[in-house]
Amino acid sequence: MGVFSRTVDRKTVLVQLFIRNVFVWLATFLAAIVIGFLASISVVRAVEKLTRQMTAARILPDKSEKIKSPRELVQLQRTYGRMQERLLTAQTRLKELNSSLEAKVKAQVETIQRHEALLTSLFSDMNEGIVLFNQKLEMRFRNPSAVRLLNLSENEARKRFLALVKEMHQSPDKHLFIHSGVYDLELRMFESGTKDVFCVIARDATSEVQIDRLKDELIGIAAHELKTPLAGVRMAAECLVKTVQDPESKETAAELLESADEMKDMISRWLDVAKLQTGSYEIHPEFCLIKPMIRKALKHFSGFKDFECSLEISPDAAAANVDKQAFMQIIQNLLSNAYKYRKEGSVCRVKIQTRKLGDFLELMVEDDGIGVPESALDKIFDRFYQVRMDSARKIGGTGLGLYITKELVLLHKGKVTVASTLGEGTVFTLELPALPTETANEEEE
C-alpha cells in the first residue's frame, strides 16, 4: 500500500514499490531452492545408504549405512532388514530341503539302477524271449533270446515282434503259436494295469509240439487199428442179439452192442481230431434245409425218456450253406453236451432257434442244465478239456466233442460262442453261411 502526497510523483512511487516486491519474491524463491537442495542431499544420502545395504543383502546396516533421517526411510530400512532376515531363513530351509531331496532321489536312482541291472541280467540269462513295448508300440527292451528264437536279425526281429504285438492285441486270448523256421514258438502278451506297457513272452514249444504231433499220430494209428476188430465185435454182438433166446444172455449181448457203438463213436472222434490237426478234414458245403438235418441228428436221442428238444426255425433262416455230415455232427455234439451236463434227476430240455443275421444263419442251442463256471468258458473248446464240477457226480466223455464242433464251424468260415449261468443252463451260438431267403422259400415250397 502506498500513500501519495501531493508533492510526490505518484508514478515514481509505484515503480519503487514494484521493484521492492520483485526483490522480495526473488529472495524467497532463492531461499526455497537452497533449503530444498539441502533437504534433497539428506534424502539422496539416505537412499544411497539403503541401496548399499540392499546390494550387500545385509540384515543390519553397518555404521556407514545407518539412516538417521528422514523418519520414513528409517522405517523402510528396518522393514527391509526384517524381510531380508525372513528371506535368508527361507533360503536356508530351501537348501536343506533341496539337499534332502537330492539325497533321496540319488538313493532311488541307485536302487532303480540296481534293480534294472538285476532284471537285465536275469532276463538276459533266460531261455524265454522277453520283449517290452510302450503305449506307442515302440520296443523298449528285448533280451538276446527273443532275437535268437525268431532266428532273425536285430532289425527284422524288431519288425516281426511289432507285427506279432499288433496281431495279439486284437486277439481275445493274447496268445499265438508260430513257427520261426527253427523253433515252434508259443507267444503270450501281457498288459500293465495302465495299459502303457506291453510285455511279450516267447517260449520254445518245439518239443511240446512234436510230442503233441506224435500223440495225434498215435491216436490216429490206434483208431485205425481198432476199427477192424471192433467191427468184428459189433457184428458178433448183433448176431447174438438176434439169435440168443435166453433173456439174460440177450441183455448181455445188447449191452455189448451198446458198448461197441460207444467205442465206435469214440474212435470216430479220434479220427476226426487227427484229420483236423493235419488239415486233411474236408467239407463239401451245399445249400440245404437245416430242419431235416436237425431231426435226423435228434434220432440218436429218440429212446431217451429224460430228453426233450423243441425247434423254432425262422422262415428266413431255414437253410444254410453247410456240409450235411459235418452239420449233423455239430448238432449231435451240442445235444450230447447238453444231455451230459443236465441236472441230475431232471429232464434235459433243449431249445434250438435260428434267425437270419446278414449273410449268416445264427443258430442257438440252449439247455437248462447245470451250466458252466465262468472260469471254464475260455477253455471249453480245448482238446480233451472237461469241466470238473464240485459235486460227486461223474461226467464221462473224452473232451473232444466241443473241440470238434469249433473246428468244424471254423472250416465253414463261421464262429461259435458260448454263454452260461451256473445252475441255470448254457447257450451255444453258431454263425454259419446262410442260404439267400428267396432260395430257401423256393425249396420250402
Side-chain angles (χ1 to χ4, degrees):
M1 177 181 295
V3 180
F4 303 101
S5 63
R6 295 178 180 177
T7 58
V8 180
D9 184 23
R10 179 180 297 180
K11 185 176 181 181
T12 301
V13 173
L14 290 173
V15 170
Q16 292 175 353
L17 182 60
F18 175 75
I19 293 171
R20 290 174 186 170
N21 287 335
V22 168
F23 276 114
V24 171
W25 284 107
L26 285 174
T28 304
F29 180 71
L30 290 174
I33 290 175
V34 171
I35 294 170
F37 176 73
L38 294 175
S40 66
I41 290 175
S42 176
V43 172
V44 169
R45 288 177 180 175
V47 171
E48 288 177 350
K49 291 179 180 180
L50 182 60
T51 302
R52 288 198 302 271
Q53 179 186 354
M54 297 174 82
T55 303
R58 281 190 284 270
I59 298 175
L60 296 175
D62 58 16
K63 292 182 179 180
S64 64
E65 295 171 351
K66 192 170 183 180
I67 301 174
K68 297 181 180 179
S69 65
R71 187 176 61 182
E72 290 80 2
L73 289 178
V74 173
Q75 184 66 30
L76 179 60
Q77 190 176 52
R78 292 174 181 171
T79 303
Y80 169 76
R82 290 193 294 270
M83 291 177 60
Q84 186 65 20
E85 183 178 10
R86 294 175 183 172
L87 180 61
L88 290 176
T89 302
Q91 286 178 342
T92 302
R93 178 60 178 162
L94 183 60
K95 288 180 181 179
E96 293 175 355
L97 291 174
N98 284 339
S99 177
S100 175
L101 183 60
E102 287 176 0
K104 291 180 180 179
V105 170
K106 185 178 180 181
Q108 291 289 341
V109 169
E110 291 176 352
T111 302
I112 292 172
Q113 288 175 343
R114 286 197 302 271
H115 290 171
E116 183 178 0
L118 178 62
L119 290 174
T120 301
S121 175
L122 177 64
F123 289 156
S124 298
D125 295 337
M126 289 179 63
N127 292 326
E128 290 79 9
I130 306 292
V131 185
L132 298 179
F133 287 86
N134 62 13
Q135 195 173 18
K136 297 180 181 179
L137 296 183
E138 298 171 340
M139 185 185 291
R140 307 306 300 171
F141 173 82
R142 62 106 190 99
N143 65 348
S145 295
V147 179
R148 175 181 59 82
L149 290 173
L150 280 185
N151 194 32
L152 297 172
S153 66
E154 181 80 23
N155 190 40
E156 290 174 338
R158 184 186 299 270
K159 294 179 181 178
R160 179 61 171 151
F161 268 116
L162 179 59
L164 291 171
V165 166
K166 291 180 179 178
E167 184 177 351
M168 283 190 289
H169 191 61
Q170 298 173 352
S171 174
D173 56 359
K174 315 295 184 189
H175 188 205
L176 279 180
F177 277 96
I178 65 169
H179 184 68
S180 66
V182 178
Y183 305 100
D184 290 302
L185 302 181
E186 179 189 15
L187 290 92
R188 290 187 180 274
M189 187 177 76
F190 303 92
E191 298 177 352
S192 65
T194 55
K195 295 187 177 181
D196 55 353
V197 175
F198 302 94
C199 175
V200 177
I201 299 178
R203 185 177 67 88
D204 180 10
T206 305
S207 60
E208 296 175 18
V209 172
Q210 290 175 347
I211 291 172
D212 210 30
R213 191 178 297 119
L214 290 173
K215 182 178 66 176
D216 291 336
E217 291 177 1
L218 177 61
I219 290 175
I221 293 171
H224 277 291
E225 294 299 322
L226 287 172
K227 284 181 70 177
T228 302
L230 180 63
V233 172
R234 192 177 186 284
M235 288 179 62
E238 283 183 340
C239 183
L240 288 173
V241 169
K242 294 177 180 178
T243 59
V244 172
Q245 301 298 324
D246 179 48
E248 186 175 348
S249 299
K250 197 175 188 69
E251 184 180 354
T252 302
E255 291 176 355
L256 179 62
L257 181 60
E258 184 179 350
S259 298
D261 287 337
E262 291 179 357
M263 181 63 74
K264 181 183 176 182
D265 290 340
M266 186 181 299
I267 291 174
S268 296
R269 288 177 184 270
W270 286 351
L271 290 173
D272 289 340
V273 169
K275 290 180 181 178
L276 289 169
Q277 287 292 300
T278 58
S280 60
Y281 196 109
E282 295 183 1
I283 62 170
H284 303 282
E286 57 181 305
F287 290 126
C288 48
L289 296 174
I290 63 170
K291 194 170 185 179
M293 292 187 291
I294 295 176
R295 292 195 180 280
K296 189 173 181 179
L298 284 170
K299 288 182 179 179
H300 180 75
F301 303 90
S302 59
F304 296 6
K305 296 181 179 180
D306 54 352
F307 181 86
E308 295 179 3
C309 183
S310 62
L311 300 180
E312 295 181 9
I313 307 300
S314 175
D316 63 343
N321 186 28
V322 293
D323 181 280
K324 289 184 178 181
Q325 294 300 323
F327 180 79
M328 284 192 292
Q329 187 173 1
I330 290 171
I331 297 300
Q332 282 182 350
N333 288 344
L334 294 178
L335 294 176
S336 297
N337 188 78
Y339 185 74
K340 186 191 305 181
Y341 289 94
R342 69 191 183 279
K343 292 177 183 176
E344 194 170 9
S346 301
V347 175
C348 175
R349 293 182 174 85
V350 180
K351 180 168 64 175
I352 299 178
Q353 306 175 77
T354 66
R355 66 170 181 166
K356 190 74 176 294
L357 193 66
D359 294 332
F360 288 86
L361 174 142
E362 185 181 75
L363 185 146
M364 289 174 286
V365 180
E366 180 180 357
D367 65 61
D368 61 350
I370 58 178
V372 180
E374 187 176 355
S375 59
L377 288 177
D378 59 341
K379 305 175 185 176
I380 199 169
F381 294 107
D382 293 348
R383 275 192 309 166
F384 304 111
Y385 180 80
Q386 284 186 292
V387 179
R388 302 297 180 188
M389 308 308 293
D390 295 334
S391 64
R393 174 185 172 190
K394 292 183 178 180
I395 299 175
T398 60
L400 294 174
L402 293 181
Y403 168 77
I404 294 172
T405 297
K406 179 182 178 181
E407 293 300 318
L408 291 178
V409 172
L410 292 178
L411 283 177
H412 284 87
K413 309 299 182 184
K415 69 177 183 179
V416 56
T417 57
V418 59
S420 184
T421 302
L422 200 60
E424 296 184 12
T426 305
V427 181
F428 288 91
T429 304
L430 311 177
E431 289 184 18
L432 297 167
L435 180 70
T437 304
E438 59 272 17
T439 309
N441 291 338
E442 290 172 5
E443 292 196 15
E444 189 74 25
E445 293 172 0

